[in-house]
Amino acid sequence: PGHVAEHEKVEVFQKNGSYHTSHFRKTSTLLNPTFTAPNLTTFTNLDGLGLTAIGQHLSAAKAEILCHVTNPNPWCQTCGAAGIPRDTVTRRLAHEPLGWRPTVLVIKHRRYRCANCQRVWREELSQAVAPRQKISRTGLRWALVGLVCHHLSVSRIAEGLGVTWNTANEAVLAEGQRLLIDDPTRFDGVKVLGVDEHVWRHTRTGDKYVTVIVDLTAVRDGTGTARLLDMVPGRSKAVFKTWLADQEEQWKQGIEVVAMDGFTGFKTAAVEELPHAVEVLDPFHVVKLGSEALDQTRQRIQREQHGRRGRKDDPLYKCRRTLTTGLSLATEKQKTKLEDLFKEPEYEPVQLVWSVYQKMVDAYRQPKPEVGRWALEQLINEVGTKVPKGLPELKKLGGTLRRRKTDILAYFDHIGSSNGPTEALNGRLEHLRGIALGFKNLARYIARS
């Protein structure tokens, strides 16, 4: 009450190198607003299309708006003479839905004949619709915002527009390609890269992968979220190296940090193409290495002690979740369960690997980065040189940590340059595949992503 929206516009624009969606709402906060007469042209957002509404027909299935061109141009573009009206042509365009009821623009536009040169032409509709398009520009913008920002499926968009699935899909993808993907300034402002692999299709003969490249600059600076830059078919050193080589040299010189997982192919490609950049191994994957070593040790001891895989009453199997819980987050019941487990001498190897895993987790949870860096460096030096015999899992872990020591410790010098947002974006891609019931065409999948 007391607020009247004068206009509302949703548009996708570029700011600081990343795309955002902003809702501009200009409202009147006057206690006594001035009301105007109802205007069907303004209500249906036809002002920006160069059309004027002159009638309506409402039914339960759809709404039809009869309109004509606001400013007709009856002059011949060849000789400049005045054209003689010949007849009227009716064109129907899908428009943004009103109340989620499909809305159709029934446009009556004249056809003229030049009395001088006999040229025939129609009233211009380029302001209202793109060439050979069945959806108005306003309807197309509504569909693109619904797909990108509101996470609607193409089926839901086609239902709202009252068109077929193929019509909606082709139109929205073409508009997104023109407005978002083909923007030459799309890569501007990128300083922190995230790279990861992603399964885009599961097949009987083997999964198909893409390399996902993400802009993490806004995450590092605390000004926004991760932004998908590109998706390249395949997952290898050559794929990432080729993509980097195709970028402009000035752009590559601006890259400061490359966040990645433990795959050495991405590491090698970044070193060769971006020698000035710092490679950061993501904390999640570092801790995951310790978690895998702990699980493998537990499974080996289980087989040696019982000659079988874990059963529900086996002590190690009962503690499998508790072992990978951070000690600072464990309950008193979980701590008591661990104390009882480690009283058994045959479980000493599990306790040793568990202590290393807990130290890794504790290092990343230190409030001061310099303290965490020192603790993790001490642990890497210790595990890399002083591993008791009979612990192959811990020895393998120590070798991996020693080889990637520089990348692991670089995280503490570049707080915020984590590959976690890249993993989160992979989750959004999984959701996209789910609502689409899978993709068969990689080009379409990349465009939708």
Side-chain angles (χ1 to χ4, degrees):
H3 294 74
V4 178
E6 295 181 0
H7 69 267
E8 180 175 345
K9 179 174 64 175
V10 182
E11 65 181 19
V12 180
F13 70 103
Q14 190 177 27
K15 180 180 181 182
N16 297 330
S18 61
Y19 291 100
H20 304 273
T21 305
S22 291
H23 298 257
F24 296 93
R25 292 181 174 91
K26 182 180 178 182
T27 61
S28 174
T29 58
L30 299 177
L31 295 178
N32 298 315
T34 301
F35 290 91
T36 60
N39 190 322
L40 184 60
T41 300
T42 303
F43 181 76
T44 54
N45 290 328
L46 298 181
D47 296 330
L49 302 183
L51 302 175
T52 300
I54 57 177
Q56 66 180 24
H57 178 268
L58 304 180
S59 65
K62 62 182 177 180
E64 295 182 326
I65 308 298
L66 182 64
C67 49
H68 62 69
V69 178
T70 304
N71 298 313
N73 183 15
W75 302 99
C76 179
Q77 297 182 359
T78 302
C79 64
I84 301 175
R86 180 178 178 183
D87 53 15
T88 301
V89 180
T90 301
R91 184 169 180 180
R92 303 172 68 87
L93 298 178
H95 194 53
E96 64 173 326
L98 302 176
W100 206 258
R101 177 165 50 181
T103 303
V104 180
L105 301 181
V106 182
I107 305 174
K108 297 287 188 178
H109 61 129
R110 289 181 175 181
R111 188 161 53 173
Y112 296 92
R113 179 188 295 275
C114 179
N116 187 24
C117 64
Q118 303 301 314
R119 175 177 173 268
V120 178
W121 71 93
R122 298 179 183 177
E123 290 176 331
E124 185 66 38
L125 293 180
S126 59
Q127 190 176 352
V129 62
R132 301 181 180 276
Q133 186 60 262
K134 300 179 180 179
I135 305 174
S136 70
R137 295 190 185 276
T138 303
L140 197 56
R141 177 57 63 89
W142 173 87
L144 184 62
V145 171
L147 184 71
V148 174
C149 307
H150 303 154
H151 314 300
L152 298 180
S153 65
V154 176
S155 299
R156 197 75 177 95
I157 292 173
E159 179 184 355
L161 292 174
V163 298
T164 64
W165 186 93
N166 286 331
T167 299
N169 184 63
E170 293 175 1
V172 172
L173 285 183
E175 181 69 3
Q177 181 81 28
R178 181 190 67 83
L179 186 63
L180 302 176
I181 301 177
D182 291 342
D183 190 340
T185 62
R186 184 163 63 95
F187 284 14
D188 291 355
V190 179
K191 297 181 180 179
V192 182
L193 279 182
V195 58
D196 196 14
E197 61 187 25
H198 169 71
V199 180
W200 76 274
R201 186 181 178 191
H202 298 278
T203 64
R204 295 179 180 178
T205 58
D207 297 337
K208 295 186 177 181
Y209 291 85
V210 291
T211 297
V212 179
I213 301 158
V214 179
D215 176 20
L216 302 176
T217 307
V219 178
R220 194 271 307 271
D221 298 339
T223 59
T225 58
R227 181 169 63 95
L228 181 63
L229 287 179
D230 209 346
M231 296 170 65
V232 188
R235 53 158 186 169
S236 63
K237 168 193 170 182
V239 169
F240 188 40
K241 180 180 173 65
T242 302
W243 185 87
L244 289 174
D246 292 340
Q247 308 306 315
E248 297 180 358
E249 188 64 29
Q250 183 179 0
W251 182 84
K252 291 193 291 184
Q253 291 296 325
I255 303 299
E256 300 173 359
V257 179
V258 181
M260 63 188 71
D261 57 13
F263 179 47
T264 57
F266 294 153
K267 156 79 173 176
T268 308
V271 170
E272 294 178 359
E273 291 296 327
L274 304 172
H276 59 282
V278 178
E279 292 78 31
V280 175
L281 186 56
D282 183 68
F284 168 80
H285 293 95
V286 177
V287 174
K288 185 179 179 181
L289 293 175
S291 175
E292 291 176 348
L294 179 58
D295 287 338
Q296 292 170 3
T297 305
R298 176 184 59 80
Q299 294 167 0
R300 178 174 60 83
I301 299 300
Q302 174 74 34
R303 290 191 298 267
E304 291 177 356
Q305 296 295 329
H306 303 281
R308 63 172 185 264
R309 296 179 60 184
R311 297 180 181 176
K312 65 178 182 179
D313 295 328
D314 294 337
L316 281 176
Y317 188 78
K318 290 169 63 175
C319 291
R320 67 190 187 281
R321 302 298 184 194
T322 307
L323 287 170
T324 55
T325 302
L327 195 58
S328 61
L329 302 178
T331 63
E332 292 299 326
K333 182 178 179 180
Q334 290 176 320
K335 293 179 181 179
T336 302
K337 186 186 295 186
L338 290 175
E339 291 177 359
D340 296 339
L341 179 70
F342 294 149
K343 288 179 181 179
E344 302 296 332
E346 61 267 21
Y347 298 146
E348 183 179 358
V350 179
Q351 183 179 7
L352 291 174
V353 182
W354 174 84
S355 63
V356 172
Y357 170 77
Q358 293 295 335
K359 290 179 181 178
M360 294 173 62
V361 173
D362 184 66
Y364 282 114
R365 288 180 176 169
Q366 292 296 326
K368 295 183 178 180
E370 57 272 16
V371 176
R373 190 183 196 283
W374 176 86
L376 192 55
E377 185 176 9
Q378 297 299 317
L379 179 64
I380 293 175
N381 294 335
E382 182 180 354
V383 177
T385 57
K386 303 176 182 179
V387 178
K389 294 182 179 180
L391 289 175
E393 299 85 5
L394 189 57
K395 183 178 181 180
K396 179 181 178 182
L397 173 63
T400 303
L401 296 180
R402 187 174 62 253
R403 288 193 301 272
R404 303 297 298 272
K405 177 180 177 180
T406 304
D407 303 337
I408 295 173
L409 299 180
Y411 169 77
F412 297 96
D413 300 326
H414 303 275
I415 297 297
S417 299
S418 167
N419 215 34
T422 306
E423 297 291 345
L425 208 149
N426 274 343
R428 299 300 300 273
L429 297 179
E430 293 287 348
H431 175 70
L432 170 62
R433 286 197 304 135
I435 64 174
L437 301 181
F439 288 84
K440 292 185 178 181
N441 188 301
L442 178 58
R444 291 285 179 143
Y445 179 59
I446 292 176
R448 280 291 306 276
S449 300

